[in-house]
Amino acid sequence: MKKWILVLMALLFSTCLSVAWANPTSDENAAKTTIENWFAAMKTQQVDKAGEYLLPQFVSIHTDGVVRTKKQEIALIKNLHMNNYHLSNFKFSQRGDTIVVTYLDKGAEQIDNKPIGKQAAGRMAVLQKKGDKWLILAYANLDTI
């Protein structure tokens, strides 16, 4: 009987631990929402709205090797032809007011009038908390162009 109680307690403990680990924190949910809202603004060509998700010190890099500032990224967004996107496989690493988020995007868009690859590609965003908002500080797009 004691053996079964120990086994049941171990199962209960491992279940609770796995549920707690699998559920994102409120900061992670907020960071994910920021990224999803940023993509939605880009898709609908709400350029000013998309720019609001980027910190003034923003920097990005794409597989074309071009490093862009916030101003340059906004210029890219103005000419971005995003037909669709599908964000998945979010992973988070947080330290204080900074969260690194990696995820996959399988979408159809053109960057600098060149189509991106058709396969899901890695993306990485570094977000920093400013007040009660998570904003994007750095971004890497690993889609082939």
Side-chain angles (χ1 to χ4, degrees):
M1 180 78 162
K2 287 182 185 180
K3 185 177 182 180
W4 284 108
I5 292 173
L6 287 175
V7 168
L8 288 174
M9 286 179 64
L11 285 172
L12 180 62
F13 177 74
S14 64
T15 302
C16 290
L17 185 60
S18 65
V19 168
W21 192 32
N23 289 331
T25 67
S26 61
D27 284 342
E28 292 168 349
N29 282 330
K32 180 180 177 185
T33 298
T34 295
I35 292 167
E36 289 171 335
N37 290 342
W38 183 48
F39 268 76
M42 289 188 290
K43 183 179 186 293
T44 58
Q45 284 293 297
Q46 296 177 24
V47 177
D48 291 338
K49 181 77 171 169
E52 291 175 11
Y53 294 105
L54 309 179
L55 284 165
Q57 308 84 352
F58 174 87
V59 64
S60 73
I61 189 163
H62 298 253
T63 56
D64 58 5
V66 177
V67 176
R68 293 175 176 88
T69 63
K70 178 179 180 177
K71 183 178 177 181
Q72 294 165 323
E73 190 77 10
I74 290 172
L76 180 141
I77 292 169
K78 285 180 183 177
N79 294 312
L80 186 66
H81 305 286
M82 184 184 293
N83 295 325
N84 62 57
Y85 63 90
H86 176 72
L87 309 180
S88 64
N89 202 29
F90 283 84
K91 300 207 183 328
F92 306 90
S93 176
Q94 181 174 1
R95 174 123 178 141
D97 66 352
T98 303
I99 294 180
V100 177
V101 184
T102 58
Y103 54 99
L104 296 176
D105 175 32
K106 182 173 183 173
E109 65 187 59
Q110 291 185 2
I111 297 175
D112 293 333
N113 294 319
K114 297 175 188 167
I116 63 170
K118 296 181 191 269
Q119 72 287 352
R123 308 281 178 113
M124 182 172 73
V126 179
L127 291 88
Q128 191 172 55
K129 193 167 191 177
K130 293 295 182 184
D132 62 346
K133 294 182 181 180
W134 285 96
L135 300 173
I136 304 167
L137 176 63
Y139 180 69
N141 180 343
L142 303 179
D143 262 314
T144 55
I145 300 174

